[in-house]
Amino acid sequence: GKGGWKDFDERDLLLSYNALKVLEARYLLKNPDTLRYVETPQMMFRRVANFLAKVDLSYGKTEEEVRKVADRFYEVMSSLKFLPNTPTLMNSGTRLGVLSACFVLPVRDSMTTPEGEGIYDTLRAMALVHQQGGGTGFDFSELRPKGDTVASTAGVASGPISFMKIFDVSTDVVKQGGKRRGANMGIMHVWHPDVRDFIKSKTGQLKDAQLQNFNISVGMYDYFMRAVEREEDVPLINPRKTKVPGKGWDYYIVKARGYMDEEYVQEFILNELEEKGGSVWLDESAFVTVDEAMVIAEREGAVTGRVNARAVFDEIVRGAWDSGDPGIVFIDEINRRHPIYYVSKIQATNPCAEEPLLSWESCNLGSINLEKFVIEGDKPTIDWDSLAETITYAVRMLDNVIDANRYPLKQIEDATKKTRKVGLGVMGFSRLLVRLGIPYDSPDALYVSYNLAKFVYYHAFKASIELASEKGSFPAYNPQLYRDIFDTAKPFADMLEILSIKPQVSPSVRKMMERAEKLDFSELKALRVKNGLRNSTVMSIAPTGTISIIAGTSSGIEPLFALAFIRNVAVGKFMEVDPLFLEYLRKYELDDPEVVSKIAETGSVSENVFMPRTIRNIFRTAHEVGPEYHLLHQACWQQWNDSGVSKTINMRSEETPETVSKVYLSAWKLGIKGITVYRDRSKSQQVIYFGIKK
Ligand code: ADP
C-alpha cells in the first residue's frame, strides 16, 4: 500500500499493549487451516477501509476516487481518531457479513406468524444475528400474561418471562464463533400484568442466576411517572384482550398528544399526513388522552387490575439498587424525539440502550476518539477543524456500512435500508477533560459536554445532508414531517437547574467552546429541506467497551474508572495504570513506584491528602463523581443527539435506594431516554474491577 511497510509499522506503535492483545485475540484474521495470523493491525484497517470505500463504485465514483476515499478512511482509523463498531472491524471483507452492532426484533403473541414475527421466528432471527456478533433488543409486552388462556390448546399461557428464558439459553449456546457472548435487551412496558415479576426477574435470589445474557429495562411512560409523583393507581392491561390484540393498549395510548404538541397534530398530521395515506398509529382513535384510553380499555375488558404506581416504581428502584437491573427506557421521550415518528412507534432499544429502533431495524455505530483533538500547550484547546473533518468522513463511512452489510434476514435489510440509521458517537471524553485540565464533576465539564455534543451533531447532520445530495435521501424521508431534534434541545442552564446546580461556567471555557456555541441550526434546516437527508438518525453514544481499548482511551462519555485497575475481558485479565495519570505524577515528581503501587490499592487519589489538589480534582473516578454529574453529562449528550446515550450511573456501594429513586426521577425530568445505575460490587461478575487489591 501507500507508503509501504515502514509506514505501517510506525502506525502500529500508536497501539498499546492491551490494544494489541485484544486485536490479536479477536480481530486480526487468521488462516483457518494453519491458525496463523494473516494480517497486522494496519492491514486490518486497510481491509476495512477498502471494503467500505468500494461501495462508492456503485454510486458512480471512479476507481481513482474510491482509492482516495479508502485512504481517508484508513487515515482516520489508523490514527485512532475514529473507529467503527466491533462487527465492522471484525467482519468487513470476510465471509461473515454483518457489520452492525444493534438490532431490534419484534415479538408477536404467537408461536409463528406469516411475517416471521412470532416468538419462535424471532428466536431464530436472534440466533442468526448473534452468530455474527450483533446485539439484539426486544419488547416482550405484546405477549399475553402468565396464566392467561391459550385458545388453540385450551391451555394456560406461561407468560413473557418464560419465553425470555428460552432466548437466554439460546444466547448461551450460540457463542459468536467463540469471540464474544451475545448480548440482549429485554423490555416490558409498565402496563403489562407481569411487570412485577419482570422487575424481580434478575434481583434477590435470581441475581447472578437468571437471564444472565439480558439487560432488562422497564418501558416507562409519562402518565405512569406522573402517577408515581401523585401516588395514584394505574391499570394493568392484558394485551390479548384489547381491540387490536397485542397492539391494543398502544393503540389507545399512543396518544399523539403525548408525543407532539396539539397544534402540530392538528396542522400536520390531520391535514397533511392523512391526505398522504397516513400511518397506522396516527388514525383518529390515537388522539385520545391516557385517561380516555383507560376508559376504553376498561370497557373492553382489557384491564386486569390496578396497582399503585409508586409501589411499582419503588420495586424498580429496589431491584436496580440491589443488582443494577432493571433499567428504565422512557418510551414517550424516545418517540417524542424520534425524527421519523411518522414511520412507526419505537418500543425497544438495543442491549446498551444507545439505539432506540423500530422493529427489524439495525444500526451500525462508530466513535470519534475525542482525546485526539486536544491541542496541547499552556492553554490547551480543541482542534475544531480537524474534528469537523473527521466527523464528515466518519459519517460517510458509517453510511457505506449500510450498503456493504450482508443482512442475516430480508426483514432486517428492508427496515434498515428504508431509514438508514447510523450512530456516530464519541469515546475518550473524560481523557479530553483531563488534558484540558477540567474536573469531570464541574459545571465547566458539563458545558464542554453540551457544546461538544452540539458540534458533533451539527457536523454529522451536515455530512448526512451532503451525502443526500450525492447519493439520495433515505427512502422514508419526508421533508415536511421529519422532526428536527435541535428544535427541542433543552437549554444548558435549564438542565442544571433541575438538579439545583448553578450554571456557572468559567470565561476561559466559554471562550474555548465558542465555535460550537455559535452554530446556527436554522441554516441547516433549510439545507435539509432543500437537499434531503441520507440518514434518519446520525448520532448515538455507544459504550465503546472494546473499541476504546483498541484506541487506548476512556470509554464513551464515562469518567475514568480507576487510575489503576484490573480489567476482566473474555480473553483474560489485564492490570492497568492510567498512562495519563502517570504523566501527571511525573510532572509533580510523584512517579515513584512506591507511590504508584500505594495508589493502585484503592484505584483513586481524591481522598489522598498528600496529593496535589490539581491531581485530586482532575482524576476523580467513576465512583467519586456524584450521581448528579453522571446524570447531567448524559443529559447534555442526549440533547444534541437523535438516538440515545449509553451511560452507567456508577455509585459507591454505600448509596441507598433513595439515591437510585432520585436518579430515576431526575432522568425522566432531564429528558434522558434510557437510564441504568450500577452500585459498586452489587453483582458477583463485574466486567471491570475497581482497584487492584480485592
Ligand atoms: P464495541 O466497543 O465492541 O464496538 P460497544 O461496547 O460500544 O461495542 O457496544 C455497542 C453495541 O454493540 C451494544 O450496545 C450492543 O448492541 C452490541 N454489543 C456489545 N457487546 C456485545 C456482545 N457481547 N454481543 C453482542 N452484541 C454486543
Side-chain angles (χ1 to χ4, degrees):
K2 190 171 144 258
W5 285 93
K6 190 173 157 290
D7 224 25
F8 284 2
D9 290 348
E10 279 167 17
R11 280 292 167 97
D12 276 341
L13 294 177
L14 291 175
L15 297 162
S16 68
Y17 177 70
N18 284 340
L20 288 172
K21 282 202 83 161
V22 167
L23 286 170
E24 176 204 359
R26 301 195 230 163
Y27 293 75
L28 302 179
L29 297 186
K30 287 182 202 159
N31 178 320
D33 298 323
T34 63
L35 293 182
R36 294 181 69 154
Y37 290 100
V38 297
E39 63 181 9
T40 66
Q42 299 311 310
M43 287 161 81
M44 172 191 78
F45 291 137
R46 269 285 162 200
R47 162 169 59 83
V48 178
N50 292 347
F51 184 69
L52 295 180
K54 239 180 16 206
V55 165
D56 283 5
L57 283 176
S58 55
Y59 289 95
K61 293 255 193 242
T62 64
E63 296 272 355
E64 180 54 26
E65 284 167 326
V66 166
R67 247 195 311 278
K68 278 191 190 144
V69 170
D71 283 347
R72 300 303 303 168
F73 288 176
Y74 169 75
E75 178 59 31
V76 292
M77 286 188 286
S78 70
S79 59
L80 304 178
K81 287 180 176 166
F82 167 81
L83 289 178
N85 59 205
T86 291
T88 306
L89 286 173
M90 274 186 188
N91 298 343
S92 285
T94 73
R95 255 181 342 122
L96 291 178
V98 170
L99 310 178
S100 313
C102 312
F103 298 77
V104 164
L105 305 173
V107 192
R108 306 275 174 257
D109 188 31
S110 191
M111 290 299 161
T112 175
T113 73
E115 298 79 27
E117 301 186 341
I119 299 167
Y120 284 86
D121 301 318
T122 305
L123 188 66
R124 169 175 176 269
M126 178 192 77
L128 294 177
V129 172
H130 284 179
Q131 189 184 27
Q132 303 202 28
T136 40
F138 316 85
D139 164 27
F140 289 100
S141 22
E142 280 186 28
L143 302 187
R144 70 193 67 188
K146 190 171 74 183
D148 199 26
T149 52
V150 183
S152 57
T153 59
V156 173
S158 50
I161 296 163
S162 59
F163 287 114
M164 285 176 74
K165 290 187 204 161
I166 297 174
F167 282 60
D168 190 55
V169 171
S170 169
T171 305
D172 262 334
V173 176
V174 182
K175 279 271 165 58
Q176 308 193 339
K179 284 176 177 168
R180 58 179 186 179
R181 212 162 67 160
N184 298 301
M185 169 65 94
I187 289 176
M188 184 179 282
H189 290 210
V190 72
W191 45 259
H192 196 282
D194 290 357
V195 74
R196 300 177 95 156
D197 289 342
F198 176 81
I199 291 166
K200 293 185 183 138
S201 66
K202 291 196 68 181
T203 59
Q205 289 189 328
L206 299 172
K207 167 158 88 171
D208 301 322
Q210 188 164 270
L211 300 176
Q212 292 302 290
N213 300 303
F214 269 93
N215 291 329
I216 61 164
S217 279
V218 174
M220 187 52 81
Y221 288 81
D222 290 345
Y223 80 87
F224 191 96
M225 291 305 283
R226 281 194 291 268
V228 170
E229 287 188 318
R230 297 180 196 145
E231 310 218 346
E232 286 170 358
D233 285 354
V234 287
L236 295 173
I237 309 286
N238 180 344
R240 187 181 59 84
K241 292 191 176 173
T242 50
K243 198 157 97 192
V244 184
K247 288 271 165 241
W249 177 237
D250 261 359
Y251 177 82
Y252 304 136
I253 66 159
V254 148
K255 58 174 174 29
R257 279 180 206 170
Y259 295 151
M260 50 200 100
D261 59 73
E262 223 153 335
E263 205 179 319
Y264 187 90
V265 172
Q266 298 306 332
E267 271 180 39
F268 282 99
I269 313 302
L270 291 182
N271 302 336
E272 300 208 14
L273 194 96
E274 295 267 301
E275 261 171 47
K276 287 174 191 143
S279 83
V280 268
W281 65 267
L282 286 171
D283 65 38
E284 242 177 288
S285 57
F287 295 90
V288 296
T289 64
V290 180
D291 288 341
E292 286 164 334
M294 287 177 197
V295 173
I296 303 172
E298 196 108 51
R299 195 170 60 216
E300 290 177 2
V303 175
T304 64
R306 287 179 176 269
V307 282
N308 183 272
R310 181 86 221 182
V312 174
F313 181 75
D314 285 345
E315 282 172 15
I316 296 172
V317 164
R318 256 284 150 185
W321 175 84
D322 176 53
S323 68
D325 280 305
I328 293 182
V329 291
F330 293 99
I331 301 291
D332 282 329
E333 186 67 19
I334 283 173
N335 284 286
R336 232 185 334 258
R337 295 194 84 204
H338 184 210
I340 51 162
Y341 62 92
Y342 54 86
V343 174
S344 191
K345 186 192 165 208
I346 293 181
Q347 310 277 24
T349 71
N350 74 317
C352 305
E354 72 274 19
E355 271 300 330
L357 294 172
L358 297 169
S359 286
W360 294 118
E361 267 186 323
S362 69
C363 183
N364 60 294
L365 312 172
S367 299
I368 303 251
N369 179 359
L370 290 173
E371 194 186 352
K372 293 283 180 193
F373 299 90
V374 176
I375 305 173
E376 312 266 359
D378 284 347
K379 283 191 189 151
T381 182
I382 292 168
D383 188 345
W384 296 109
D385 290 328
S386 169
L387 180 56
E389 198 197 356
T390 305
I391 294 168
T392 305
Y393 279 105
V395 171
R396 176 181 278 274
M397 216 166 132
L398 292 175
D399 181 63
N400 280 8
V401 169
I402 297 171
D403 295 319
N405 235 331
R406 276 205 308 270
Y407 297 86
L409 286 163
K410 178 91 169 59
Q411 293 99 314
I412 296 176
E413 174 161 13
D414 291 348
T416 306
K417 289 190 169 163
K418 186 174 162 195
T419 58
R420 301 189 72 90
K421 287 182 177 170
V422 297
L424 179 66
V426 298
M427 54 185 161
F429 172 67
S430 62
R431 295 172 70 91
L432 164 126
L433 288 180
V434 169
R435 290 189 185 276
L436 295 175
I438 301 172
Y440 189 92
D441 49 353
S442 66
D444 278 357
L446 295 173
Y447 193 73
V448 174
S449 257
Y450 190 82
N451 284 291
L452 267 177
K454 191 171 174 184
F455 189 86
V456 174
Y457 181 68
Y458 181 94
H459 286 282
F461 196 65
K462 189 160 168 239
S464 186
I465 293 171
E466 280 158 10
L467 282 174
S469 314
E470 191 186 319
K471 299 176 167 180
S473 295
F474 64 93
Y477 179 59
N478 179 325
Q480 275 74 46
L481 293 176
Y482 181 91
R483 181 187 292 143
D484 290 302
I485 60 106
F486 44 77
D487 289 338
T488 52
K490 286 192 186 4
F492 179 70
D494 289 10
M495 284 193 297
L496 270 64
E497 247 158 54
I498 292 175
L499 292 185
S500 316
I501 290 176
K502 287 221 178 75
Q504 270 167 349
V505 178
S506 56
S508 61
V509 170
R510 262 187 206 284
K511 181 111 190 51
M512 191 200 301
M513 302 315 288
E514 214 172 39
R515 177 92 180 253
E517 231 260 300
K518 286 195 312 212
L519 291 170
D520 177 9
F521 280 90
S522 56
E523 252 171 57
L524 216 49
K525 184 179 219 139
L527 260 185
R528 171 183 73 68
V529 172
K530 185 162 151 264
N531 296 347
L533 187 66
R534 182 71 174 158
N535 312 93
S536 65
T537 65
V538 293
M539 223 171 132
S540 175
I541 308 295
T544 70
T546 12
I547 60 168
S548 66
I549 301 178
I550 298 173
T553 195
S554 54
S555 48
I557 57 164
E558 299 291 358
L560 299 178
F561 196 80
L563 306 177
F565 59 89
I566 294 173
R567 198 194 284 268
N568 248 346
V569 292
V571 290
K573 286 185 179 183
F574 302 105
M575 187 188 101
E576 286 183 42
V577 179
D578 194 299
L580 199 50
F581 176 61
L582 261 181
E583 249 176 63
Y584 261 76
L585 289 180
R586 214 164 283 145
K587 264 194 226 163
Y588 292 86
E589 297 193 14
L590 286 165
D591 56 328
D592 195 278
E594 239 179 299
V595 176
V596 178
S597 66
K598 202 77 196 150
I599 293 165
E601 285 178 14
T602 59
S604 72
V605 291
S606 73
E607 270 152 37
N608 185 335
V609 292
F610 301 108
M611 280 284 143
R613 197 161 10 151
T614 311
I615 291 192
R616 290 172 63 188
N617 288 343
I618 290 181
F619 289 96
R620 310 267 289 194
T621 56
H623 297 90
E624 295 160 329
V625 168
E628 69 279 18
Y629 279 96
H630 278 283
L631 266 174
L632 283 169
H633 276 293
Q634 180 172 358
C636 287
W637 283 95
Q638 184 60 76
Q639 292 318 306
W640 306 96
N641 178 344
D642 42 22
S643 298
V645 178
S646 164
K647 172 96 184 71
T648 304
I649 313 297
N650 275 295
M651 296 178 188
R652 295 165 192 259
S653 132
E654 309 82 85
E655 291 290 357
T656 62
E658 185 52 29
T659 311
V660 177
S661 173
K662 272 192 206 145
V663 164
Y664 277 8
L665 271 165
S666 311
W668 174 53
K669 293 185 176 149
L670 286 166
I672 281 171
K673 290 185 181 178
I675 182 98
T676 316
V677 300
Y678 186 72
R679 200 165 52 88
D680 194 30
R681 292 169 203 212
S682 56
K683 268 185 200 156
S684 66
Q685 277 289 321
Q686 264 174 229
V687 179
I688 298 173
Y689 276 102
F690 181 40
I692 290 173
K693 252 193 192 168
K694 283 300 295 181

